Amino acid sequence: MAARKIILYTNLSCPWAHRAHIALRETGLDFEQVLIDLDTPREPWYLEINPAGLVPSLSYNGNIITESAIVAQFIADAHPSHLLPPSGPADNALYRARIRFFIDAFFPKVQVAYMKCIRSSSEAEREEMTQEMVAAIKKGIEPLLEPKAGQGKGPFFGGSEKLTLAEVQCGSFLIRMLALAKPEHGLVSTKLPTLLEQQAPRFKRWAEATSAHESVNYIFNEQECADRMRRRFAGTSSKV
Ligand SMILES: N[C@@H](CCC(=O)N[C@@H](CS)C(=O)NCC(=O)O)C(=O)O
């Protein structure tokens, strides 16, 4: 059988591409990394790989896969591991359905509210948006992290001791959420950790454990991320 060849086209500052890095690290697959400069127009050769010009793109034995959620799902499906069990039997399918439901709940609720915090044009707006985000987490995500009978006691989704696809898909956003709440960055209310502790303690513990995991934090550069977010988004809430 021909050797497997995986190429990840990526940019280390991109939270979407970050998902592919987590999935590849956790499955232990060898891959070649090609860095794409996002500050200049994409070169024609890259547009042939991904006409949208976005990262990440994955080449798997020459087959191109784009869109980070699909890339991460593909890696987890093609190489079954602790991230995600194969789709059968029914218990596996049920667990996969729970993970899918969780990921689908996270993005519209948490990520949208989080970007509103980052875009805030004033301290007052930032405080209000941070409170809105915590309220969304409390209502939509915290109940999904409630331990169920018979599940493990690990810090990850469903009581897993190891990362799952839920952390692969959400981890890059969690690490940014917690890191950017530090006072020196001024991008999210510094009250975020306290608000989470009071209103969504399970979410806080999950986010902290995920952010502390080596597969999640190994490519994360906090200062570079904060500077980039400030340049691109801070104060844009009032702009059309
Ligand atoms: N929906 C895409 C989003 C990817 C995305 O927005 N990537 C950004 C970097 S974080 C990008 O490639 N931007 C290049 C550009 O807009 O020119 C995915 O999940 O893969």
Side-chain angles (χ1 to χ4, degrees), residues 53-69:
L54 301 173
V55 291
S57 303
L58 189 83
S59 170
Y60 188 91
N61 293 336
N63 300 288
I64 301 299
I65 302 158
T66 59
E67 283 300 316
S68 60

Side-chain angles (χ1 to χ4, degrees), residues 114-121 125 232-238:
Y114 173 68
M115 285 312 295
K116 286 191 191 165
C117 300
I118 299 282
R119 289 180 189 277
S120 297
S121 299
E125 187 184 357
R232 291 194 63 195
F233 300 113
T236 56
S237 69
S238 52

Side-chain angles (χ1 to χ4, degrees), residues 11 13-17 19 36 38 40 42 46 50 52-57 66-71 228 232:
N11 181 291
S13 69
C14 173
W16 307 102
R19 290 167 145 178
I36 303 298
L38 298 179
T40 57
R42 286 326 85 76
Y46 188 62
N50 183 350
L54 301 173
V55 291
S57 303
T66 59
E67 283 300 316
S68 60
I70 299 171
V71 168
R228 197 174 179 87
R232 291 194 63 195

Side-chain angles (χ1 to χ4, degrees), residues 48-230:
E48 276 185 28
I49 289 171
N50 183 350
L54 301 173
V55 291
S57 303
L58 189 83
S59 170
Y60 188 91
N61 293 336
N63 300 288
I64 301 299
I65 302 158
T66 59
E67 283 300 316
S68 60
I70 299 171
V71 168
Q73 180 82 45
F74 166 77
I75 294 166
D77 278 336
H79 297 276
S81 69
H82 55 279
L83 293 180
L84 195 66
S87 56
D91 278 355
N92 285 7
L94 191 58
Y95 178 65
R96 289 170 66 105
R98 292 222 164 95
I99 289 192
R100 183 78 256 157
F101 186 88
F102 181 83
I103 296 164
D104 286 358
F106 183 93
F107 279 87
K109 294 190 170 74
V110 179
Q111 189 53 20
V112 169
Y114 173 68
M115 285 312 295
K116 286 191 191 165
C117 300
I118 299 282
R119 289 180 189 277
S120 297
S121 299
S122 66
E123 190 62 35
E125 187 184 357
R126 185 170 304 119
E127 293 298 319
E128 189 189 332
M129 292 303 138
T130 303
Q131 297 210 15
E132 236 179 57
M133 176 172 75
V134 174
I137 292 170
K138 180 181 178 185
K139 183 158 180 265
I141 308 297
E142 186 74 353
L144 303 179
L145 292 168
E146 195 168 326
K148 305 236 179 340
Q151 80 176 30
K153 297 226 178 305
F156 303 115
F157 183 80
S160 173
E161 296 287 347
K162 293 181 172 182
L163 295 189
T164 72
L165 190 66
E167 287 80 31
V168 170
Q169 303 283 27
C170 304
S172 58
F173 300 94
L174 295 172
I175 194 170
R176 283 163 174 75
M177 180 190 292
L178 296 188
L180 300 189
K182 292 185 188 155
E184 60 268 34
H185 301 313
L187 283 160
V188 178
S189 167
T190 55
K191 294 195 191 108
L192 179 64
T194 309
L195 292 172
L196 286 177
E197 189 61 50
Q198 290 164 347
Q199 299 182 43
R202 281 191 292 269
F203 177 91
K204 180 163 182 272
R205 279 194 294 280
W206 172 66
E208 285 170 346
T210 302
S211 304
H213 196 288
E214 207 261 339
S215 294
V216 176
N217 62 37
Y218 83 103
I219 63 162
F220 182 61
N221 180 330
E222 180 177 322
Q223 193 57 52
E224 200 264 347
C225 173
D227 293 344
R228 197 174 179 87
M229 294 297 263
R230 195 172 300 102

